[in-house]
Amino acid sequence: MLLFFLLFLAAPNSPLVHPEPLPPSPSPRPESIFLLAGQSNMAGRGGVVNDSSTGWIEMWDGVVPPKCSPNPSILRLTANLTWVKAREPLHADIDTNKTNGIGPSMAFANAILGQDRSLGSVGLVPCAIGGTRISEWERGTFLYDQLMRRARAATNAGGTIRALLWYQGESDTVEESDAVQYKGRLEKFFSDVRTDLQSPELPIFQVAIASGQGPFTDKVRKVQLGLDLPNVRTVDAKGLPLGPDQLHLTTPAQVRLGQMLTDAFLQSMSRSASLVSEASPGGPKLVIHVLTFFMWKFIRAVLMN
């Protein structure tokens, strides 16, 4: 008997010698997806400094605040359109011509997960490119097409795009013509994004710039703060600490901005839920009365039979 068992083990097709391979683990799939677009302060320059030891080449200091730490429930869509565990700098493989550091998005994602677990896992879709004007985000441009391509790839495996986080405008403060046309271009951009994503009520959270590259900063800020579009909310970055270049937010400022965006997002969700409840005749009480009525009819029918 032992001889037969040994022969069985030595057989080329023995399941013990060639066990069935385990099925591959499923790819991570986020449930709540957020698009991140704009220019350098969205991509993140927190902790980016000029390093004299490298000939004044910009370097990231590598410091990641606890509120920006990786979280198994926060994913990032890479440049090759795969989901991986998110970690700073989020835009490292997107804004490739610049040195990236801390932005607002990891602080935002960690904060919303800490306050509302019903959102499930979060997927961040980095699309921001430093130094870009609003005209470079018009429909048909490379940046716009890339935003659409990445947004669609993000939802291929399921999940819902919850919002667009938009932080841009510093580059439009240089030329007066850009500042003058900013309002029309911004409104069209938001409209085109909603149309092309087939999401006419997509929540948009824009950041009013805290700094500018030219003399027309106040003109661009006035447009951003005065924008009156449905489901578009503005978070004002004015007053947050800036780095030595007086253009980019510091790491603590980005963490604070992430919390400000979280507050705006959760407030909008609460407001939307209230509107749905108010729009229902009688609200929750009506639902309870209807269910009670049908339950009583069911019990009565059973008793009569």
Side-chain angles (χ1 to χ4, degrees), residues 38-96:
Q39 52 183 111
S40 55
N41 272 317
M42 175 56 77
R45 298 292 186 264
V48 174
V49 295
N50 286 322
D51 187 352
S52 58
S53 67
T54 57
W56 296 103
I57 296 175
E58 287 189 335
M59 303 286 290
W60 176 45
D61 62 15
V63 176
V64 178
K67 293 183 178 180
C68 300
S69 298
N71 182 320
S73 296
I74 303 175
L75 305 175
R76 177 182 76 91
L77 191 70
T78 65
N80 64 3
L81 306 180
T82 56
W83 288 110
V84 298
K85 186 178 179 179
R87 63 182 65 251
E88 297 283 15
L90 275 183
H91 280 76
D93 62 346
I94 300 297
D95 194 10
T96 54

Side-chain angles (χ1 to χ4, degrees), residues 143-176:
L143 293 180
Y144 185 88
D145 290 345
Q146 177 174 257
L147 172 62
M148 291 298 106
R149 177 174 62 89
R150 290 178 59 75
R152 291 174 182 129
T155 56
N156 277 346
T160 301
I161 297 177
R162 297 289 185 179
L164 165 66
L165 307 186
W166 172 257
Y167 190 168
Q168 189 278 336
E170 294 93 341
S171 291
D172 288 275
T173 67
V174 178
E175 301 291 337
E176 185 175 13

Side-chain angles (χ1 to χ4, degrees), residues 215-234:
F216 302 104
T217 301
D218 288 342
K219 191 178 288 290
V220 171
R221 277 180 49 81
K222 183 178 180 180
V223 169
Q224 294 171 331
L225 294 170
L227 201 66
D228 185 19
L229 294 175
N231 230 14
V232 175
R233 292 168 177 80
T234 303

Side-chain angles (χ1 to χ4, degrees), residues 1-18:
M1 178 67 74
L2 178 61
L3 177 61
F4 282 114
F5 179 69
L6 293 175
L7 290 173
F8 172 74
L9 288 179
N13 295 324
S14 170
L16 299 179
V17 177
H18 301 283

Side-chain angles (χ1 to χ4, degrees), residues 27-34 72-76 83 112-113 116-124 154-155 157-163 265:
S27 300
R29 298 178 180 182
E31 298 167 69
S32 296
I33 297 169
F34 296 88
S73 296
I74 303 175
L75 305 175
R76 177 182 76 91
W83 288 110
I112 61 173
L113 282 177
D116 189 349
R117 301 298 300 182
S118 68
L119 292 168
S121 57
V122 169
L124 302 175
T155 56
T160 301
I161 297 177
R162 297 289 185 179
F265 174 73

